[in-house]
Amino acid sequence: MSGPATSGATIPAGSEPKAALRHRLAERGVDRTLLLVLPAALAVIALFCYPFLYGLQLSFQPAKGGALGAYRQFFSEPFSRKSIWATFSLALPASLINVGVSVPISYRMRREFRGKRLLLALLVVPITLGTVLTAEGILEFYGPAGWFNRTLHLLGLADSPMHLTMNYTGVLLSLIISGFPFAYLLTHSYLSGIHPSLEKAASTLGAGWWQRFRYITFPLLLPGLLTTFSLCFVLAFAVFPSAMMVGDPNGSTHVISIEAYQAALERFDYAQGSADAMIMTALMLVVLVAVAVLRSRLYRGSTGGKG
């Protein structure tokens, strides 16, 4: 016999359609490994996109006032509008402090020294605590009868307790403690990506440590710092447990998340709660887009405008 049957090879059933499918995908420039992203994409759609779109639709269905009634209600009440300032006044300082403090610590932690592993563990341990446990620790440590005030009293440094909880200061401390490990880990990873030979070359030319940091390390690190700031800002902007537990939820720490919570779960006005959440998302996206635009300009500048 002659022809394909004499080759001794047999084609498994169903292999021709699979081969044809692979060929069509290859012609269209589609990598089959991209199909591995499909489960993650479905999870994002189910856990984020659908709830978001449902909440967006619900925000345009208030009981009165028309489609934009819930949004007008938010901006017409001075107490609700103040929640915008309260949220930004917590998120921006906490993010800037976390990013700013993480830079010198990460810069020093690049070198080997005794006790480095122990110090690293102490820096990142707040990640394991969570916001609720962190808030409870702040109440126990910085409260009127906490260890901090008792120590000040025993040392004769204060006659009356310092008010560090149930106010703005308590929430800011909570955001710094819970957000710093993320800022440090990201900053440290970006610093690790900067090759030490760049600083060594500058050192051989007579540049001091401050000149090396200012003109070499910091410009290369700045795009990463903006990304780190974005993550810290998102974490701080969504503050809720600490604002309730160690803050003044009806006063200086009445943030937008509390406004949405009270509308949806205390007054059972789900349209208003959804509108508050959409306003919170829009404000957050404005800041993130601004940071992303700045980062892209810095990146284009560092590459000479190429790419």
Side-chain angles (χ1 to χ4, degrees):
M1 296 180 63
S2 61
T6 61
S7 62
T10 59
I11 301 177
S15 62
E16 292 183 359
K18 293 181 180 179
L21 177 61
R22 289 195 296 268
H23 181 68
R24 288 197 299 269
L25 291 176
E27 287 182 344
R28 297 179 182 179
V30 179
D31 190 349
R32 287 185 303 157
T33 56
L34 293 177
L35 297 177
L36 298 175
V37 182
L38 185 59
L42 293 177
V44 170
I45 293 174
L47 300 178
F48 175 77
C49 293
Y50 173 75
F52 176 80
L53 294 176
Y54 178 78
L56 180 63
Q57 177 189 6
L58 191 61
S59 67
F60 293 112
Q61 298 176 352
K64 56 182 180 179
L68 298 177
Y71 293 92
R72 285 195 293 264
Q73 179 70 19
F74 178 88
F75 289 104
S76 63
E77 295 184 0
F79 189 64
S80 299
R81 292 198 306 268
K82 288 181 180 179
S83 65
I84 298 177
W85 165 251
T87 307
F88 275 103
S89 65
L90 285 167
L92 287 176
S95 303
L96 291 173
I97 292 173
N98 282 331
V99 174
V101 173
S102 69
V103 173
I105 295 178
S106 301
Y107 192 79
R108 180 64 182 87
M109 291 287 286
R110 291 194 305 172
R111 303 175 182 176
E112 293 295 332
F113 57 89
R114 172 180 264 179
K116 179 179 178 179
R117 293 183 179 180
L118 177 61
L119 180 59
L120 177 61
L122 293 176
L123 290 174
V124 301
V125 72
I127 293 179
T128 64
L129 301 179
T131 55
V132 175
L133 192 57
T134 300
E136 291 182 353
I138 290 176
L139 288 174
E140 293 292 332
F141 189 82
Y142 292 106
W147 297 347
F148 182 77
N149 279 304
R150 282 188 289 179
T151 302
L152 293 180
H153 180 71
L154 291 175
L155 296 177
L157 299 177
D159 296 331
S160 59
M162 296 181 63
H163 298 285
L164 300 176
T165 58
M166 312 311 296
N167 52 21
Y168 172 88
T169 305
V171 182
L172 184 62
L173 285 173
S174 176
L175 292 177
I176 293 173
I177 293 173
S178 59
F180 174 77
F182 296 98
Y184 166 75
L185 291 174
L186 283 174
T187 303
H188 186 70
S189 66
Y190 287 121
L191 269 174
S192 300
I194 300 176
H195 204 282
S197 61
L198 297 175
E199 291 191 24
K200 291 181 180 179
S203 180
T204 59
L205 297 176
W209 74 267
W210 171 245
Q211 292 176 315
R212 296 196 302 269
F213 177 80
R214 180 180 178 183
Y215 295 107
I216 297 176
T217 305
F218 185 72
L220 295 173
L221 181 62
L222 187 55
L225 291 181
L226 292 176
T227 302
T228 304
F229 172 83
S230 298
L231 175 61
C232 293
F233 178 79
V234 170
L235 293 174
F237 200 81
V239 55
F240 180 77
S242 57
M244 293 287 290
M245 297 178 64
V246 296
D248 181 16
N250 294 320
S252 60
T253 64
H254 184 79
V255 292
I256 306 178
S257 59
I258 294 179
E259 182 73 18
Y261 168 81
Q262 291 177 344
L265 299 179
E266 291 185 2
R267 300 193 300 269
F268 299 102
D269 189 349
Y270 298 110
Q272 185 64 54
S274 299
D276 296 346
M278 293 301 115
I279 293 171
M280 180 178 176
T281 302
L283 294 173
M284 186 188 304
L285 289 177
V286 168
V287 176
L288 295 181
V289 170
V291 175
V293 171
L294 178 60
R295 186 185 185 280
S296 65
R297 290 182 178 179
L298 289 173
Y299 182 78
R300 286 199 301 269
S302 65
T303 57
K306 298 180 181 180

